[in-house]
Amino acid sequence: MKVGIIGLGLIGGSLAKAYQQSGVAEVWGYDTDESIREFAKISGAINGILSKEIMSTCDLVLLAISPKATVSFIRKYAQFFGDKPMVVDCAGTKRVVCEGVFPLSEKYGFTFIGGHPMAGSHLSGFRNSRSNLFKGAPMVLVPPRFDDILLLDKAKKLLSPAGFGSFSVCTAEAHDRTIAFTSQLAHVVSNAYVQSPNAAKHKGFSAGSYQDLTRVAWLNPDMWTELFLENSDNMLIELDSIIGILQKFRDGIAAGDAEGVRALLDYGRKRKEEIDGK
């Protein structure tokens, strides 16, 4: 198997290392930063630098860059893919990518499936990438057609060396609606939480709760700003929801309403139990 990877940050670098370590793939990579390209090659994560000529000979081309950058890259190089590789992106939102790329794949005759590996780290960059980042992790696929079982089977086989534990298939709209809650809202809440004036005084008074809630506050501001704004309609729904719930807590605490506060806490506990199990 020959794999091409565009973008050698945390996600792309981890994919390169996973495929390389699997022993079943020849990995070619590209990053706009020349020093990263060379370091990835020297470290053995990639066999060489991916070019437009090599792309057309790959079985799989993975794009681990932002949504807008993905669309721009594919628009520029669509004519060079050919009909051999399956092209899969790894961006954090899917509507912008799929709306921009599905028409290009039809026009130029290459196979494209939207993708989102559900794994990551608060640390970024190639230096923090690792071969086991995706081991057991879910992978979301957004195909152009949902009745093409052979296409989905092929995608799963090509992606299996990365170590994914499961695959989910959905529309771009469903993906963005769900990811607003499962990922994007969590990053906003975490980031807002550490902006408290008391955050600087936490040492010696914090344990697991603080660490769990603040881990993703350490983020890439440019990337997450783009993701939030591209998914603003779904983000606003989630933000309005949590603001409303927080307001109920504030009103109950301000009024000394023990019964009301306890009811809110008990409902949240029950929801957690219903959703994730005991």
Side-chain angles (χ1 to χ4, degrees):
M1 182 192 302
K2 183 184 288 188
V3 179
I5 300 175
I6 294 97
L8 296 172
L10 175 69
I11 300 301
S14 295
L15 285 167
K17 291 176 181 179
Y19 275 92
Q20 197 71 279
Q21 193 174 86
S22 73
V24 301
E26 179 182 305
V27 183
W28 297 77
Y30 177 79
D31 194 278
T32 54
D33 188 328
E34 183 180 0
S35 64
I36 297 298
R37 295 198 301 265
E38 292 304 318
F39 184 69
K41 185 177 178 181
I42 293 169
S43 68
I46 62 175
N47 295 87
I49 308 302
L50 182 67
S51 66
K52 62 185 180 184
E53 291 79 17
I54 293 174
M55 276 196 302
S56 64
T57 69
C58 290
D59 299 290
L60 176 66
V61 173
L62 296 163
L63 292 99
I65 50 182
S66 73
K68 288 181 180 177
T70 295
V71 176
S72 296
F73 184 94
I74 293 179
R75 185 177 291 125
K76 183 176 181 179
Y77 292 100
Q79 61 183 308
F80 302 108
F81 285 127
D83 58 6
K84 182 179 181 181
M86 175 175 287
V87 181
V88 181
D89 85 289
C90 301
T93 59
K94 295 273 70 78
R95 285 178 295 175
V96 167
V97 173
C98 292
E99 288 170 8
V101 179
F102 282 153
L104 292 171
S105 68
E106 290 184 13
K107 179 179 179 179
Y108 291 99
F110 64 90
T111 302
F112 174 78
I113 294 183
H116 188 182
M118 302 308 302
S121 168
H122 62 284
L123 302 174
S124 61
F126 181 82
R127 68 183 180 277
N128 294 304
S129 62
R130 60 183 192 272
S131 62
N132 65 348
L133 182 65
F134 308 105
K135 187 175 182 180
M139 175 66 171
V140 180
L141 298 176
V142 180
R145 300 176 306 281
F146 286 84
D147 58 352
D148 195 337
I149 303 302
L150 292 177
L151 178 67
L152 290 171
D153 284 343
K154 182 180 179 181
K156 292 175 183 179
K157 288 176 182 176
L158 288 170
L159 291 165
S160 63
F164 295 109
S166 64
F167 292 90
S168 299
V169 180
C170 67
T171 64
E173 292 75 18
H175 169 277
D176 288 1
R177 186 167 56 248
T178 304
I179 214 70
F181 170 73
T182 60
S183 177
Q184 295 179 345
L185 180 64
H187 282 77
V188 169
V189 171
S190 180
N191 197 273
Y193 180 73
V194 296
Q195 293 187 41
S196 165
N198 281 319
K201 305 171 186 177
H202 81 87
K203 292 183 180 180
F205 294 83
S206 58
S209 298
Y210 174 84
Q211 296 298 332
D212 290 345
L213 189 53
T214 60
R215 181 180 65 83
V216 295
W218 198 348
L219 47 68
N220 180 326
D222 294 329
M223 180 185 78
W224 284 100
T225 296
E226 179 179 336
L227 294 175
F228 292 159
L229 296 184
E230 286 176 354
N231 203 24
S232 61
D233 53 346
N234 292 311
M235 278 295 292
L236 290 174
I237 291 170
E238 295 300 336
L239 285 168
D240 288 343
S241 175
I242 197 168
I243 288 169
I245 296 165
L246 289 171
Q247 186 64 52
K248 290 180 182 179
F249 272 104
R250 190 194 187 286
D251 292 346
I253 291 169
D257 181 6
E259 184 178 341
V261 172
R262 187 190 181 285
L264 286 168
L265 291 169
D266 193 48
Y267 180 68
R269 179 190 63 80
K270 289 177 179 176
R271 283 291 288 158
K272 174 65 175 176
E273 185 176 303
E274 291 169 3
I275 295 166
D276 296 329
K278 294 182 181 180

